[in-house]
Amino acid sequence: MKRKQIAFAVVAALMLTQQAGAQTESEKDEMRDKPKKERIIKSQIPFEGLDQTWYNGNDRRDSSVLSNKYVTWSIMLDANVNHSFNDPIDHTVVGSTAMARTDEIEVSCAAIGGDFVYGNARGRIMTQFGTRSTVVPRNDLSPYRGQYNLADVYRYISEAYAGYHFDVMHGINVDAGMFMSYIGLNSYYQVENWEYQASFTSDNTPWFFNGIRVQIFPSEHLKIEPWIINGWQSYGMFNQLPGVGGNITWIPNSNFKLLTNDYYGTDAPGLVGRHRFHSDNSVLWRYYKKPKTASGINQMALSGTVDVGFEKGGGVNGFKDDIGGKGPAQYFASAMVYNRMWFGKSKWAWCIGGGYMKNPGRYLVLYPTGDASPLPNQYNPTQLAGSHPYSANPGDQFSGWDASTNISWMPNQSIEFRLEYVHREADNPYWAGKGGVTSPSGYTTTPVPATGWAPDLVKSEDRVILALLFRM
């Protein structure tokens, strides 16, 4: 069945299920009258009763119009047009998972799916189409181990898991499949984020995990979530050791959120002796709030994240250089801070912020694409994709910083128009310059000369982005 037919069938099923399963007013009243404990089993909503609509990296809606007692559907569309002042001739964006093309109207993500509940059984599936279905999987080298082309079989799925809810304490969920990562704080879906182009801390850390998670709620304000997963944003497993880690989230009230994510695994292909550790820590604080209907400023909030991690073994030595011995330092240190202000009855918002990253060894840097790519050639994986590959060897240095500001107009909770300006800078040539990264003409149909031409990488870029973000 073709993709268009699949999409049509999913939309038709959504409409029919919504009509057939919609709750009557009497059913809603009956649900409200049931004990709280029973409602939690049925709804399986974490941190129920807290206002989470202002969070960076979270759904800003207070309810869904596509919801019944069995299914809560989701439809998302993320489209943008952006312009790099470097003006690359091949219209290619380097160093971003949010965008792929510049000076063009681009559908970054078109997604449809939902959450399914029957008794204590639960499941979620979200499809994804658009440029992100190519941009994100290209950074995962695990499909090159073995057969069956995992990058293609998973490419059009962003989330797919099934699980069971146990009525223990304030709830325990056990899920298996592909689920979103919390490392880096920002959501994979731009409609949930304060900024469109994520800072280094989020854009260079995982967007998804493939494995098993257990969500434990000891109280209505605390979640403890261990993971056993294939690896660091990997469809498959790089070596024999699975990745392990977990999340702890504490939300004492509707104005404060504190979380930590920690990870350990072996994520260098074929290097079983190289181990990775990563700790990600975030705080969200709403320090000013008035009713949404009030004039002037309605609310203000801060979002901050600090990450630290390292790789050790297999020729690298964590935080300390040991040249001639265990190898050069290879670590990750980053931070990002954003402040957002809502005004005009919360229909407008202004955000400003930025971040910094230092990554010796470049093991988490998003590699340039095209003829600058050091990744395998998709048609012949025994060769590199680029004839002038970006270097990512032990000892290679990378430091970068970014700053951005945007204004958003949100006429209702399902649509947002955002205008953003972002400046990004690195200590080595990394971003696409005027000559692009594809060929002398900018087209893949033009052969790359053996001499006299190279990808045009520069140390900084300035970009303006106009995005339309829809969610229902």
Side-chain angles (χ1 to χ4, degrees):
M1 187 179 288
K2 296 181 179 179
R3 290 178 197 159
K4 290 183 179 179
Q5 293 172 313
I6 295 173
F8 178 80
V10 172
V11 173
L14 185 156
M15 296 175 65
L16 290 172
T17 306
Q18 178 65 20
Q19 292 173 358
Q23 287 177 295
T24 65
E25 289 303 316
S26 61
E27 288 175 324
K28 291 179 182 178
D29 291 340
E30 181 184 356
M31 186 66 182
R32 283 191 290 266
D33 291 339
K34 288 184 178 181
K36 182 179 180 182
K37 186 176 181 181
E38 187 174 350
R39 292 204 310 270
I40 291 175
I41 294 173
K42 194 164 186 177
S43 65
Q44 302 178 10
I45 298 173
F47 305 114
E48 189 176 29
L50 295 173
D51 178 14
Q52 303 177 67
T53 59
W54 59 275
Y55 291 171
N56 188 10
N58 198 76
D59 187 354
R60 69 181 179 89
R61 301 172 303 163
D62 57 18
S63 61
S64 172
V65 297
L66 299 176
S67 180
N68 59 66
K69 61 184 178 181
Y70 298 117
V71 186
T72 299
W73 295 99
S74 290
I75 301 172
M76 286 180 276
L77 178 67
D78 169 8
N80 77 74
V81 59
N82 68 85
H83 172 71
S84 168
F85 290 90
N86 292 339
D87 200 21
I89 62 171
D90 60 353
H91 287 196
T92 300
V93 177
V94 167
S96 173
T97 62
M99 298 167 288
R101 310 277 294 184
T102 188
D103 289 328
E104 300 174 1
I105 297 173
E106 167 190 9
V107 177
S108 181
C109 184
I112 186 169
D115 295 281
F116 305 85
V117 177
Y118 184 78
N120 286 41
R122 49 190 261 123
R124 176 174 174 85
I125 183 167
M126 288 297 301
T127 62
Q128 67 169 5
F129 300 92
T131 56
R132 297 200 88 184
S133 63
T134 296
V135 170
V136 174
R138 71 176 286 271
N139 297 297
D140 175 16
L141 294 180
S142 70
Y144 293 106
R145 184 187 188 194
Q147 302 296 310
Y148 302 117
N149 203 346
L150 297 181
D152 280 353
V153 300
Y154 288 132
R155 183 180 305 278
Y156 302 106
I157 301 173
S158 60
E159 296 178 81
Y161 61 81
Y164 196 81
H165 175 87
F166 294 90
D167 182 27
V168 179
M169 296 181 287
H170 283 257
I172 295 178
N173 299 323
V174 180
D175 301 319
M178 188 187 304
F179 49 89
M180 293 288 98
S181 163
Y182 315 120
I183 293 179
L185 184 66
N186 276 29
S187 168
Y188 180 75
Y189 307 113
Q190 303 293 12
V191 69
E192 297 184 342
N193 297 327
W194 290 359
E195 77 279 21
Y196 192 84
Q197 172 54 56
S199 186
F200 289 110
T201 303
S202 282
D203 222 11
N204 292 261
T205 51
W207 287 124
F208 65 85
F209 287 141
N210 207 355
I212 299 171
R213 69 179 182 187
V214 181
Q215 298 178 318
I216 305 167
F217 297 89
S219 75
E220 58 185 342
H221 300 292
L222 178 65
K223 180 184 72 170
I224 301 171
E225 181 178 310
W227 314 319
I228 300 176
I229 54 183
N230 286 342
W232 180 274
Q233 189 170 289
S234 60
Y235 291 137
M237 193 179 295
F238 293 107
N239 298 293
Q240 298 305 112
L241 181 69
V244 295
N247 162 269
I248 299 175
T249 299
W250 180 52
I251 310 178
N253 55 57
S254 291
N255 296 317
F256 189 81
K257 179 180 182 179
L258 187 67
L259 62 94
T260 180
N261 302 283
D262 298 280
Y263 172 84
Y264 177 81
T266 58
D267 298 284
L271 296 176
V272 296
R274 183 174 297 179
H275 298 260
R276 176 181 300 173
F277 173 78
H278 197 94
S279 181
D280 165 82
N281 308 278
S282 297
V283 61
L284 288 162
W285 177 35
R286 183 169 60 181
Y287 56 89
Y288 179 86
K289 184 180 184 302
K290 280 190 173 182
K292 290 184 178 181
T293 55
S295 58
I297 298 173
N298 301 112
Q299 56 185 355
M300 293 186 286
L302 274 170
S303 164
T305 299
V306 175
D307 278 32
V308 61
F310 63 88
E311 287 192 329
K312 193 164 185 175
V316 297
N317 192 46
F319 292 103
K320 186 178 180 180
D321 282 321
D322 186 14
I323 306 301
K326 295 180 180 179
Q330 186 143 307
Y331 64 87
F332 183 91
S334 72
M336 66 179 190
V337 178
Y338 290 91
N339 187 85
R340 200 182 205 207
M341 177 178 69
W342 293 256
F343 59 95
K345 299 183 178 180
S346 287
K347 293 185 181 298
W348 292 86
W350 172 56
C351 179
I352 186 169
Y356 170 80
M357 179 181 80
K358 185 173 178 62
N359 186 209
R362 304 179 182 176
Y363 68 98
L364 292 186
V365 172
L366 294 172
Y367 297 139
T369 187
D371 196 58
S373 174
L375 298 174
N377 185 317
Q378 62 176 320
Y379 304 110
N380 184 2
T382 62
Q383 299 179 357
L384 296 182
S387 60
H388 298 82
Y390 181 77
S391 178
N393 297 315
D396 287 345
Q397 298 297 306
F398 187 97
S399 294
W401 65 273
D402 62 272
S404 67
T405 186
N406 65 54
I407 188 80
S408 294
W409 177 48
M410 301 163 285
N412 61 50
Q413 64 178 1
S414 288
I415 190 82
E416 179 172 347
F417 300 87
R418 183 177 298 172
L419 180 63
E420 180 167 296
Y421 182 86
V422 58
H423 172 83
R424 298 190 290 175
E425 195 160 320
D427 63 351
N428 64 92
Y430 174 70
W431 319 102
K434 176 67 176 177
V437 295
T438 303
S439 73
S441 70
Y443 286 84
T444 57
T445 52
T446 300
V448 175
T451 60
W453 183 88
D456 183 12
L457 299 179
V458 297
K459 290 187 176 182
S460 67
E461 76 163 16
D462 291 86
R463 187 178 300 275
V464 61
I465 306 162
L466 177 62
L468 186 152
L469 305 167
F470 173 83
R471 181 173 195 166
M472 181 177 287

